[in-house]
Amino acid sequence: MDCYTANWNPMGEDAFYRKFELYTMEWGLKEDLRDCLVAAAPYGGPIALLKNNARKEKSPSSRPLLEIYSASGLLLASIPWKSGQLVQLGWTASEDLLCIQEDGTVLIYNLFCEFKRHFSMGNEVLQNHVLEAKVFHTEYGTGVAILTGAHRFSLTTNIDDLKLRRMPEVPGLQKPPSCWAVLTQDRVTIVLLAVGQDLYLLDNTSCSVVTPPGMSPSAGAYLQMAVSFNYRCLALFTDTGYIWMGLATLKDKLCEFNSTIRSPPKQMVWCTRPRSRQRAVVVAWDRQLMVAGNSTECIRFVLDEDSYLVPEPDGVRILSRTSHEFLHEIPEASQEIFKIASMAPGALLLEAQKEYEKESQKADEYLREIKDQKLLPEAVSQCIEAAGYEHEPETQKSLLRAASFGKCFIDKFPPESFVRMCQDLRVLNSIRDYQIGIPLTFTQYKRLTIEVLLDRLVLRRLYPLAIRICEYLRLPEIQGVSRILAHWACYKVQQKDKSDEEVAYAINQKLGDTPGISYSEIAARAYDCGRTELAIKLLEYEPRSGEQVPLLLKMKRSKLALSKAIESGDTDLVYTVVLHLKNELNRGTFFMTLQNQPVALSLYRQFCKHQERETLKDLYNQDDNHQELGNFHVHSSYSEKRIEGRVGALQNAVDEYYKAKNEFAAKATEDQIKLLRLQRNLQEDFDKPYLDLSLHNTVSTLIQDGHHKKAEQLYRDFKIPDKRYWWLKISALATRGDWEEMEKFSKSKKSPIGYLPFVEIAVKHHNRYEAKKYAPRVTPEQRVKAFILVGDLEQAADAAIEHKNEAEMNLVLSKCSAATDSAVMEKLSRARAQLLKK
């Protein structure tokens, strides 16, 4: 702590830069980095190396070796490179490795060199080959830009939704550009390239010459360009050593610097800190590193060995054969506390805490000085913030102890920021460990989020650490532990050294009924790995049948899927499986399968009734179900247009009913056949449509048409009940208006239905005159109702009085009007009074 600022390097009046070691690399590289193809993922990500560079080494006896290391130099995986010549390596935002070949094919591998998929950048790239390639990141995803041998650019902004764009041609371009970069402006991806002293901007439709504002006319030809991590700033390096820095829109200049070094740099990257006014780039040559920004001064570092720069959101990682360092601008909170002779409240609080540990009275003096200025809350906040920017745990602890010490003298200081920082630093220190090798800074961690960090631990198969972090931070199970356990299980099923029973048991023991776990997803992974039996065993633990069934169908275990669907009680699920079986099996096997599953068979019959009636017939035939076959033929007869077809279908129904020993249904169907034939004859005789009428409607229609003898014949032939026939006949005669025939019929013989129906039907057809003829003939019990229907209230009253029935009297009274029926009302009132006296 005493020499804390020894590695601080000033730039201008307010900015300091620091370079410190993250890890001592023990990856045992024999080659210099310049002899390898290198790609390091941001946010402390992994490092990919292609040794014995495939572009130079073509001997089949010495295959290049593709290796992936953690940021601490631990080997994660390696494979001999057997594909085409590689031009560029790069990492996606989800830490997949992109290997761009000379023929335009892009191969994608995971962290453990396991092949995932590939895609091509198009036929033009295949024909002209790839000269250079760059991997870039936009809001759309990870993109790839290609410079072909024909000096044309092609790119895609999202490799997961591949849409290739061929950029416009640069007029007169006969050789590759000296440097180029991918920019984004207004959500459009463009290419900036340099040819000598000229800059060209390629958008979707055009090529235009651009001149950076404030660029010196004597700056010279462009040799290198760099885009900042957030794609907002651009830096240009010329052959005179001049460095221009400005906005990527090329509308504003930020600053410039003359390095006086004319040789082309190996790399140039931005080194900025979020929300900082300082702008700086790091330029690397073989043995020298320069930090230049908005100051007349620069910072120079001597490099002992070949290095590789990795830009980060808040600094630059520097890789070499033996070390991994981080270069960044000192944050303001750290400057305030640790700057020599600082009197900032945070610096005084840190000194007060140190003196307190020494049991010195100076602690009280420092503390009083802060309190007198009423800056104690600010001092605590400064120490908490500065602790987050420190990499060494001892420095973190010292600052947090100071913050904790200061909190004791503040009333109601909110503890959340202190607790959160302690948690964040504990997480960061655990992942920065050499064995883990993810050197995230606090700024990067906050931009990445805990969810993405957990995903990256899962990608590295560091499941125990990920679970401990979830438990420590008390994350919800579905977001934390459950999700990680599910990933662990999906990885577990890929291990071939254990039996299916052992793996299934281990997974169930570990996962149990943990919320958010989907055994079906784990089973699907097992099936994809060729372990069908393991997938079936895992599905036994899946409580949701709706999740089990689709995978069982995919695995061609349809019969088991059918059993599971029936157990679930979900008819839609059963239908899904049954229809799948129907398409998968031959007809006989399908029917035999359904025979063993009554529920499925019943549901399939319901389906066939509405969708496939011929299949329904086959089902009944297979079961020898003659009753249902008879019903089927009756139903089918309705769809026959020709009467011969109907009769034939009904005759088939009769045969089936007799086989089913259902004589009642058979005879009823025979009657229907007989009626159909009769109706056909009637239709031919009278030239009127009688088909499709019921027996009773046929009789009624014949009577209305005046064919009484034919109606009588049907009445006798089909043994229509007398009461029903009388009702049909008087209704039909009334409809026809044949009141004379109706009167003759009423006198032909005694009516089996009485004469009240004659009254009702006549009244219904608005003929009270005819109705009055029948009212006196009704039975005594029905006379009151009959006389009311014909409107003769006086006779209705007499009948009610004669019956001495109070309810009937009340009914007649309710129909009377005081204006016209006063005599009747008086008569009824007297009769009621006499009845009540008794």
Side-chain angles (χ1 to χ4, degrees), residues 788-821:
I788 289 175
L789 284 172
V790 299
D792 193 342
L793 295 181
E794 187 171 351
Q795 290 200 57
D798 291 341
I801 293 169
E802 184 182 345
H803 296 158
K804 298 180 181 180
N805 189 317
E806 185 181 0
E808 290 182 346
M809 294 180 192
N810 291 335
L811 177 61
V812 178
L813 275 172
S814 67
K815 303 294 182 181
C816 293
S817 168
T820 58
D821 305 309

Side-chain angles (χ1 to χ4, degrees), residues 643 676-686 710:
I643 192 165
L676 272 174
R677 287 172 174 160
L678 178 63
Q679 287 175 332
R680 179 183 59 187
N681 295 335
L682 291 171
Q683 193 161 298
E684 291 173 354
D685 292 345
F686 303 123
K710 286 288 184 182

Side-chain angles (χ1 to χ4, degrees), residues 22 46 367 378 465 499 509 563 576 582 636 683 703 772:
L22 296 171
L367 203 57
E378 183 183 339
L465 176 59
S499 68
Q509 286 295 105
S563 299
T576 300
K582 179 174 177 289
S636 299
Q683 193 161 298
I703 294 169
K772 287 181 180 180

Side-chain angles (χ1 to χ4, degrees), residues 144-248:
V144 174
I146 297 290
L147 171 63
T148 70
H151 308 134
R152 296 291 300 270
F153 289 90
S154 294
L155 61 82
T156 176
T157 55
N158 185 0
I159 62 170
D160 294 320
D161 182 19
L162 196 64
K163 293 177 182 176
L164 297 175
R165 280 170 46 201
R166 187 168 181 252
M167 306 302 282
E169 187 175 3
V170 179
L173 184 62
Q174 300 297 321
K175 61 180 181 178
S178 55
C179 56
W180 59 281
V182 180
L183 308 175
T184 57
Q185 291 183 3
D186 299 325
R187 299 174 66 87
V188 176
T189 304
I190 58 178
V191 174
L192 179 70
L193 65 137
V195 181
Q197 296 184 356
D198 297 322
L199 282 179
Y200 296 91
L201 200 64
L202 307 181
D203 58 19
N204 290 339
T205 57
S206 62
C207 170
S208 55
V209 180
V210 292
T211 302
M215 174 67 75
S216 171
S218 59
Y222 299 103
L223 297 180
Q224 186 69 272
M225 62 177 65
V227 184
S228 65
F229 194 88
N230 58 12
Y231 288 84
R232 292 177 183 172
C233 299
L234 174 71
L236 302 169
F237 185 95
T238 69
D239 59 0
T240 61
Y242 175 80
I243 302 173
W244 179 93
M245 285 169 270
L247 297 183

Side-chain angles (χ1 to χ4, degrees), residues 392-441:
E392 289 299 325
E394 286 305 316
T395 311
Q396 298 168 4
K397 290 177 185 177
S398 178
L399 288 164
L400 289 173
R401 278 196 295 266
S404 179
F405 176 70
K407 281 197 306 110
C408 298
F409 301 96
I410 304 174
D411 293 332
K412 298 180 181 178
F413 183 84
E416 291 80 14
S417 59
F418 180 81
V419 172
R420 195 179 304 114
M421 182 59 74
C422 291
Q423 291 176 333
D424 290 341
L425 287 176
R426 189 168 181 182
V427 170
L428 286 171
N429 290 335
S430 68
I431 63 171
R432 289 170 181 168
D433 182 82
Y434 180 81
Q435 295 297 324
I436 308 301
I438 305 178
L440 278 183
T441 64

Side-chain angles (χ1 to χ4, degrees), residues 9 59 107 248 326 344 417 420 462 553 566 592 676 771 782 787:
N9 298 275
S59 171
L107 293 85
F326 186 65
S417 59
R420 195 179 304 114
L462 299 171
L553 291 177
I566 292 170
M592 289 304 296
L676 272 174
Q782 297 174 333
F787 285 125

Side-chain angles (χ1 to χ4, degrees), residues 1 14 149 167 181 209 334 383 387 395 422 438 475 637 670 675 686 700 788 818 832 837:
M1 292 291 290
D14 302 323
M167 306 302 282
V209 180
S334 298
C383 289
T395 311
C422 291
I438 305 178
L475 297 178
S637 70
E670 286 175 337
L675 177 63
F686 303 123
S700 182
I788 289 175
R832 284 179 63 197
K837 286 179 182 179

